[in-house]
Structure formats: C-alpha cells, structure tokens
Amino acid sequence: MKTHRKIIGVFLSMAIILTIIASSPILEPIELRALNLFYKIRGKEKIAKDIVLVTTENCHKRKIALLLDKIKDARLIAILPIPSHPGKLEDDLILASSFSRNKVFLASHFFIPYSVYSACVPVFLPKKNLEQFSLDNSPLLTPYQAIDVAAPLSLFLQTARGLGHTNLLPDTTGVIRKVPLVIEYDGRLYPSLSLILASSYLRKPTKSFLRQRDEKSRMLINFAGCEVLSYKMADILRKKIDPKVFSQKIVLIGSEDKKVLTPYGFSNQLILQAEALGNLIKGNFLVPVSFKLTAILLLIFGIIVSLLGLAYPIRIGGGMTLLLLFAYLFFSFSLFCFGVWIKIVTPVLAIGAGFITSFGYKHLLEEKEKRYVRSLFGRYVSPHVIDGILKEKESFLKARRKELTVLFCDIADSSRLIEKLAPEEVLSILNHFFDEMTGVIVDCQGTVDKFIGDCVLSFFGDPVEMENHAISAIEAAILMQKKMEGLNNKFALEEPIKLRIGINTGEVMVGGIGSKERTEYTVLGENVNLAERLQQLAEHGSIFISEKTHLLCPQIETELLGGFEIKGFALPVKVHKVLWR
C-alpha cells in the first residue's frame, strides 16, 4: 500500500509539473524559435504559381491606371497602397474608371488598440461605402476589434471589386506568423485581402476558409520562403514586359519598402501577402494542435517516462527516454511537413521533468518496492505509441471537387450471353472479364470504383496524381479492347464478346461517400453521368470519348461523330470515336 501511494505521488507531481509547463507563457518565445528551426530544416517550398507581384516606386494615380490597363487580362488584381487621400480630381476619376474596367481589389488597414491606444487617423470615406464589403457576423468568431480604419476614398470603393485589410501583428519574438482573416470594426466583420482574393479566385464562400483559425480568427501561415515571380511597374509601362505573363494570374501591386520579419528573415509585405494567399489557395496553411491535445500528449509522455524511470535502471531508462525524445522530435517534424504544428519545447521538458522526477522518487523507494513496480507497470510501456498517434492523424476519405477522367465499360448485349449459357458459365466468364479489366486499369494507374452488373466504373487522376489522366484512361480503354479479343479466343463462344466503353473528363466529387456504417471511395457528378451515357451510346467494340477528353489528347487518332442529344444535358454533346484498331 505504501508503494502504491508513492507511485500515485509520482503521477500527481508530474501532473503539477506538466500543468505549470503547459500554461507558462515564458516558453512561448522558445517554442516559436524552435518552429523557425523546423522551417530551416525543411527548406523552401513553392508558392502558388498563379500569383505575380508588381513592385512600384512611384504610386502616381495615373501610372497605376495605365498599369491596370496594361495587365487587364489578369484574373484578379490587388492594390496594396491605400488611396485614402484625394488628389487631383481628374487623376482620381481616371483611376476610378480604371478600377471599373478591371477586377480590382483594394487594401485597407485597421487600427487595433493595444493596452493603451487612443490614436485616431482621419479617413476620407462615408461609412456606408465601407459596409458593403463586410461579411456576415458570426457568434463563433472572436476577432480583433478595431477602433479606426484607413481605407480608400469613397470614389474608389464604388468602382472596386472588393476590399480586404492588410493588418499583420507580430508575435512575442517580433516575427509575423499569423494573418487575421477577419477584423471587427463598428460591429461588422471585414476580411483580409488574402481571404477575399482566395474566395474570389476559387469561387468559394469566405466562411469555408475560416475553419482552421485560432481564437482571434488568425491563420498560421505556412511560409514557403521562395521568391515570388515579380516585375517592376516601370518595366511594364516601358513595354519591356509582355502583358501576357499576367493573363489569368492574381497580380499584387505594391511597394517593396515595407519590411517585416518572417521565419526566413526580413521580407516585404507584398511577399507576405502572397504567402498567405498561396496558403489559402493551396489549402496548405499551418494547423496548430489544440491545447487540449497537447496537454494529453504531455500527460502521455509524462506517464511513459515515469514508468520507464520506475521500471528500469537509470542507464536503460535514460537510453529509452532519449529514444522517446528523438522519436517525438521526428514525429513533430513529420507533422510539420504535413502542415500540422505541435509544440516541441514543452513535451521535451515534460519528458525531461518526468525522467528526473521518476528517478528521484525511485531512489526513495526500497529495493523490494522497485521490483514490484517493475513487475506491475513494465508491461504497459509500448514501443508503438507514436505509430498509433500518426495513424490517427491520417485521413484519406474527405470528399472534394477534382478534375478526373471517368471510364465506363460494359459487355454489349450481355442479355444474349445470359440466355445462351448456364449461370455457372456466365459467372465464370464475368469473373475472368472483371479480373482482366481490373488488371488493365490498375496497370494504367487507374482506380476501379465498382462493378455494376457487367459494367466496370473506373476513374483516373485520383488518388494517384497524373500529368494527363485522360491519356491514361484512353490507353487503358484500348488495352481493354485488345485484352477482350484475347479472352474471346479463350472463351470460344459462338459470338465473340464486344465491349462498349465511354470516357469523359471533367470536375467530379471524389472521396468517401456514404453512411457512418458504410463508406465507398467513389465519384459523383454530371461528368460521371456523361461518361455512362457515352458508354451506352457506343457501338459494339468501340470507344466513345467526349469533346473535353479529345481536346486533352490531340495525339490520339479519333473520328468526330457529331453532336448527340443526350438525356440530362440541354445542349448537344460532341462525341468522338477512338480509332484504336
């Protein structure tokens, strides 16, 4: 009983130590510097390729208007200098007119109070024009509250496509790591420039980007650290740069003068906005592990180390603790590479504190109590704990929109085959058919979705990424037709089996779809339906493909059959026949 009490004393002591470690703000700067080290170890990554910077030295309004007309083919344009002060009326009207001709988003800056903050900056705009760019309020959001705002003139707000703030707040080490996705001002929520640009570019509602945020509605930026494609405004105006390079791009216009500190060193605000925008577009922002989960991990590590200390001599226990320490560091770095940030310093200190505490208590226990503790608790130490946590973190079934190529294949006039043959023979033929067709699809890196009667549904481009999944689908279809010719020689039927294959490329929903009890990894959508319609339309022994698939595979020899009225589609669908023989 006395030994049990001492063991309980070890765990209670660990609980107190872990609580102090987890709640201490003193360790936050060390945690953030450790995060900087992870960035350096990982190296630099690519930012979204659709973002281009244009740097300015002189923000004269007429030059900005001329620049906008030069890059008019850009998908979206954001101007970071805030035109909040009126100039010459003619210049302001020219710039406003240029805004109306292009998809221009303007920047604003909110003034957020600290412990003592009473400054007030005059702003030249009516309140009603600012409110049109606000978001719907949500009780789930608790963003920073601003006391004033610097925003563009009302004249410019009336012609701009959107407005987003460029506020950046450093952490306790003076480094910019987070961007507030929304800021509350005068009872309304206003999005960041990166958020409103990503929402417009991806055509998604802003609320869909607010899921991964902290208590202040901030997103933790996953810095790539690479230089973004950048051009000087003067070179564009002097026609040294081909305006086509901006076609369908997101163009950020601003100055390089304003420097901020990032995990990769000093950088200008343009690049930082590009980093945040790239995170939102690619969905690779850094997700911090919640305090609750961190506390659970601290408790797990504390218990494991305490058990190690109580169960083994100091050399063995110390060696195993070091192994646990390195395993955790590797584990945390692996999570970081996948976009998840879990604290490093506090668990390491917890492991160290657990080791010291457990061995301190161990020296106070009698030799008999030590043997009892080893026999009682040694069996609970598992070398697979870290592997288990990693497995729980992975998730592959999230449904998402993605462009894929869908292939339907079935046996033409299968009802005749069923009428002429015994059920056992039909079953044998179908099994051979499915085996061979599945092998072809897998060899071409496709995914077999399901078997529907005598039909095979498959798709290409997920989960295996391909440069041209349409080519792979057509190659698979040709191999399936040739494979069927070989099977016909084997079956030796009176009438050879002919395949009908339909292929279409387009955006579908792909992922885990179904109930909690049963989930299938499948595809859904009108582009799936079109592939099925093409298969039903196909001639015996032929491959029919859609216009979209044909355009992606110009090297495939085809014959245009014309436009067909297809059920479920308002306009005629162009159909091509693959000349595979």
Side-chain angles (χ1 to χ4, degrees):
M1 181 63 71
K2 188 181 294 185
T3 303
H4 288 302
R5 289 177 181 176
K6 290 182 179 180
I7 294 173
I8 293 172
V10 172
F11 291 154
L12 289 176
S13 300
M14 282 301 306
I16 295 172
I17 294 172
L18 294 177
T19 303
I20 295 172
I21 290 174
S23 60
S24 175
I26 300 174
L27 295 178
E28 184 179 358
I30 306 175
E31 289 283 4
L32 295 174
R33 287 184 174 88
L35 180 59
N36 290 350
L37 182 62
F38 270 9
Y39 277 112
K40 292 179 181 179
I41 296 173
R42 184 196 68 182
K44 297 181 178 181
E45 297 183 339
K46 293 181 179 179
I47 302 178
K49 62 182 180 180
D50 297 327
I51 303 174
V52 180
L53 307 183
V54 174
T55 59
T56 62
E57 295 180 358
N58 184 351
C59 295
H60 191 277
K61 293 178 180 177
R62 287 204 180 193
K63 288 186 176 181
I64 295 292
L66 183 59
L67 172 66
L68 295 178
D69 290 334
K70 291 281 186 183
I71 60 173
K72 60 184 179 180
D73 292 331
R75 178 84 171 269
L76 302 172
I77 302 173
I79 301 178
L80 268 64
I82 304 173
S84 57
H85 298 281
K88 292 182 180 179
L89 179 60
E90 183 180 358
D91 292 346
D92 289 343
L93 291 174
I94 291 174
L95 184 58
S97 176
S98 180
F99 288 170
S100 65
R101 293 192 301 271
N102 298 283
K103 300 174 182 179
V104 176
F105 291 76
L106 299 179
S108 62
H109 184 84
F110 290 95
F111 296 93
I112 300 171
Y114 293 91
S115 56
V116 177
Y117 190 84
S118 59
C120 183
V121 179
V123 179
F124 300 88
L125 81 160
K127 176 181 174 182
K128 63 179 182 179
N129 288 320
L130 181 66
E131 291 177 352
Q132 65 179 316
F133 299 108
S134 64
L135 306 177
D136 295 333
N137 286 344
S138 171
L140 300 177
L141 300 177
T142 55
Y144 289 112
Q145 295 186 355
I147 59 174
D148 211 334
V149 59
L153 298 174
S154 175
L155 174 65
F156 300 141
L157 290 177
Q158 292 173 359
T159 54
R161 177 65 63 91
L163 178 76
H165 72 78
T166 57
N167 287 68
L168 300 169
L169 299 174
D171 58 28
T172 54
T173 63
V175 177
I176 300 293
R177 300 180 192 275
K178 297 180 180 181
V179 55
L181 294 178
V182 292
I183 286 179
E184 182 180 345
Y185 173 65
D186 201 18
R188 292 178 176 270
L189 299 178
Y190 293 90
S192 67
L193 187 61
S194 55
L195 173 59
I196 196 65
L197 285 172
S199 174
S200 300
Y201 181 74
L202 298 177
R203 295 183 175 91
K204 292 182 178 180
T206 53
K207 63 181 181 181
S208 65
F209 297 92
L210 297 175
R211 295 172 184 172
Q212 297 297 340
R213 55 179 174 79
D214 64 7
E215 70 283 355
K216 286 295 182 181
S217 301
R218 297 172 300 180
M219 179 188 75
L220 187 58
I221 302 173
N222 189 357
F223 287 91
C226 287
E227 293 295 328
V228 188
L229 190 62
S230 178
Y231 301 96
K232 292 184 178 181
M233 182 176 74
D235 291 339
I236 299 172
L237 296 180
R238 292 169 188 165
K239 299 182 179 180
K240 293 183 179 181
I241 307 298
D242 187 355
K244 292 181 180 179
V245 301
F246 303 101
S247 178
Q248 297 303 307
K249 303 290 186 181
I250 304 175
V251 182
L252 305 182
I253 303 173
S255 172
E256 293 182 301
D257 295 339
K258 189 174 181 180
K259 301 290 184 180
V260 291
L261 186 59
T262 72
Y264 284 106
F266 283 97
S267 181
N268 63 65
Q269 192 188 56
L270 266 182
I271 293 180
L272 197 142
Q273 293 294 335
E275 293 265 21
L277 177 57
N279 279 190
L280 290 169
I281 290 175
K282 296 171 68 176
N284 64 339
F285 37 78
L286 207 54
V287 181
V289 172
S290 66
F291 175 79
K292 290 182 179 179
L293 182 54
T294 303
I296 292 172
L297 287 175
L298 289 176
L299 183 60
I300 291 173
F301 287 135
I303 292 174
I304 291 175
V305 173
S306 297
L307 293 174
L308 288 173
L310 292 169
Y312 296 98
I314 188 168
R315 290 185 179 180
I316 298 176
M320 296 180 71
T321 301
L322 285 176
L323 288 176
L324 178 64
L325 176 62
F326 285 118
Y328 175 74
L329 291 175
F330 177 78
F331 164 68
S332 57
F333 180 71
S334 299
L335 285 183
F336 173 77
C337 292
F338 284 102
V340 179
W341 176 46
I342 188 169
K343 289 187 176 181
I344 309 165
V345 178
T346 46
V348 169
L349 289 178
I351 292 173
F355 179 80
I356 294 171
T357 303
S358 63
F359 277 98
Y361 269 96
K362 185 177 181 178
H363 283 292
L364 298 176
L365 296 175
E366 297 178 354
E367 194 64 30
K368 186 176 180 180
E369 291 176 333
K370 291 180 182 179
R371 290 193 298 269
Y372 177 77
V373 170
R374 284 197 295 268
S375 63
L376 181 62
F377 292 100
R379 61 190 175 91
Y380 291 115
V381 180
S382 172
H384 303 296
V385 173
I386 301 300
D387 292 338
I389 296 174
L390 276 172
K391 289 178 183 178
E392 292 174 2
K393 284 290 181 183
E394 298 297 333
S395 176
F396 303 102
L397 295 177
K398 186 176 181 181
R400 61 210 177 276
R401 288 184 179 273
K402 191 174 182 180
E403 183 176 280
L404 303 176
T405 298
V406 182
L407 183 152
F408 274 85
C409 169
D410 82 333
I411 297 175
D413 289 337
S414 59
S415 58
R416 292 186 181 180
L417 180 69
I418 295 172
E419 291 172 358
K420 293 181 178 180
L421 300 177
E424 293 81 5
E425 293 179 288
V426 174
L427 182 61
S428 177
I429 290 173
L430 286 178
N431 284 337
H432 278 87
F433 166 71
F434 287 138
D435 283 342
E436 296 294 337
M437 299 304 111
T438 298
V440 170
I441 293 167
V442 172
D443 289 342
C444 294
Q445 298 187 11
T447 301
V448 178
D449 187 323
K450 61 173 67 72
F451 303 124
I452 311 168
D454 63 341
C455 178
V456 181
L457 165 59
S458 61
F459 54 89
F460 295 76
D462 187 87
V464 179
E465 296 292 339
M466 301 179 186
E467 291 184 4
N468 195 333
H469 41 76
I471 286 286
S472 297
I474 293 176
E475 289 176 348
I478 294 173
L479 288 174
M480 291 165 79
Q481 292 285 11
K482 293 180 178 179
K483 184 70 72 172
M484 194 66 245
E485 291 181 345
L487 287 177
N488 281 325
N489 295 331
K490 181 178 180 180
F491 295 150
L493 300 173
E494 293 181 6
E495 295 183 11
I497 295 175
K498 299 290 186 180
L499 300 183
R500 300 183 302 172
I501 300 178
I503 300 174
N504 177 45
T505 302
E507 189 178 76
V508 300
M509 285 296 297
V510 59
I513 299 172
S515 64
K516 293 181 179 179
E517 291 75 21
R518 182 177 178 181
T519 300
E520 291 185 353
Y521 197 79
T522 186
V523 288
L524 294 174
E526 64 174 8
N527 284 303
V528 179
N529 298 337
L530 179 55
E532 184 179 17
R533 298 286 186 269
L534 292 175
Q535 171 255 312
Q536 295 169 354
L537 187 67
E539 302 165 354
H540 296 184
S542 64
I543 303 169
F544 281 13
I545 65 175
S546 66
E547 176 74 7
K548 177 68 177 292
T549 307
H550 169 71
L551 293 175
L552 292 173
C553 308
Q555 66 272 43
I556 300 296
E557 188 177 357
T558 62
E559 175 188 349
L560 177 61
L561 301 179
F564 287 79
E565 298 288 342
I566 293 180
K567 183 180 179 181
F569 294 85
L571 300 176
V573 177
K574 287 185 178 180
V575 179
H576 297 259
K577 178 181 179 181
V578 176
L579 305 178
W580 63 274
R581 293 185 184 276

